[in-house]
Amino acid sequence: MTHPARPVRGGRVVVGLDGSDSAWAALDQAVAEARRREATLEIVHAWPWGRADPLAFDTDTEPSRPAVEIARTVLRLAVSRAREQDPQLRIVPTLTAQDAVPELLRIGEDASLIVIGTRGLGGFTGLLLGSVSLRLAAHTRRPLLVVRGGPPAAYGPEGHGKVLVGVESGADAPA
């Protein structure tokens, strides 16, 4: 008899946030997952988010003051949004100047779950996955949830979308 897997209690759910619509949807899903798992939510905003923005950097490659303030504001808004959904949730905001993929891999190496949006702020909107989500999927050893942005109506009348689960062995059965 097969029993449904119970979520692991405690631990951390790590979500990558770049300010895109897809990332806000990922944050909302990460809040729900952290609540369900009774886990801490770590919100990671990496600047630059996998891209170089010449307007955001001084000549010595240090983030300019306005870029840092924008990044801090995005992170504050994310914490506020998560708190609105669950005032009791333990939240760790993390701002880093490192590239998103290596930082999410490093920060999420012992996470219960990493959550990321499908599409970031990059310019190739026709792709199914953005470069950050694709690279994370290729390199992470932790469970990864990639969330589509957009209105809930896109998920059908029942409110549920399609879920794709990749497994490597029988040890991945709880997925």
Side-chain angles (χ1 to χ4, degrees):
M1 177 176 193
T2 304
H3 297 282
R6 291 187 197 159
V8 175
R9 300 289 177 218
R12 286 180 314 121
V13 171
V14 173
V15 60
L17 182 84
D18 67 353
S20 66
D21 291 344
S22 182
W24 292 112
L27 174 65
D28 294 342
Q29 188 63 47
V31 169
E33 289 293 329
R35 181 185 315 122
R36 187 174 72 83
R37 297 162 186 263
E38 299 175 7
T40 297
L41 175 67
E42 184 163 0
I43 304 170
V44 179
H45 182 57
W47 190 269
W49 189 263
R51 72 194 191 299
D53 182 352
L55 299 176
F57 292 90
D58 294 330
T59 55
D60 61 354
T61 71
E62 288 296 318
S64 65
R65 194 72 177 145
V68 170
E69 290 308 313
I70 290 168
R72 287 183 180 141
T73 299
V74 168
L75 198 53
R76 276 194 300 271
L77 289 170
V79 170
S80 293
R81 183 172 177 142
R83 287 245 183 271
E84 285 175 10
Q85 294 175 50
D86 188 342
Q88 304 303 315
L89 190 62
R90 293 176 309 275
I91 301 172
V92 175
T94 301
L95 179 62
T96 176
Q98 303 303 312
D99 184 56
V101 174
E103 273 302 270
L104 286 168
L105 289 169
R106 184 186 66 76
I107 291 168
E109 69 186 356
D110 64 345
S112 303
L113 178 68
I114 300 172
V115 183
I116 191 87
T118 54
R119 298 284 324 135
L121 295 172
F124 300 103
T125 57
L127 298 176
L128 180 62
L129 292 177
S131 64
V132 171
S133 55
L134 188 59
R135 287 170 29 218
L136 272 173
H139 296 288
T140 188
R141 296 178 156 235
R142 305 307 305 158
L144 175 67
L145 175 60
V146 181
V147 178
R148 284 184 127 167
Y155 299 114
E158 298 84 32
H160 300 286
K162 295 179 182 176
V163 176
L164 174 65
V165 178
V167 295
E168 185 175 10
S169 69
D172 297 327

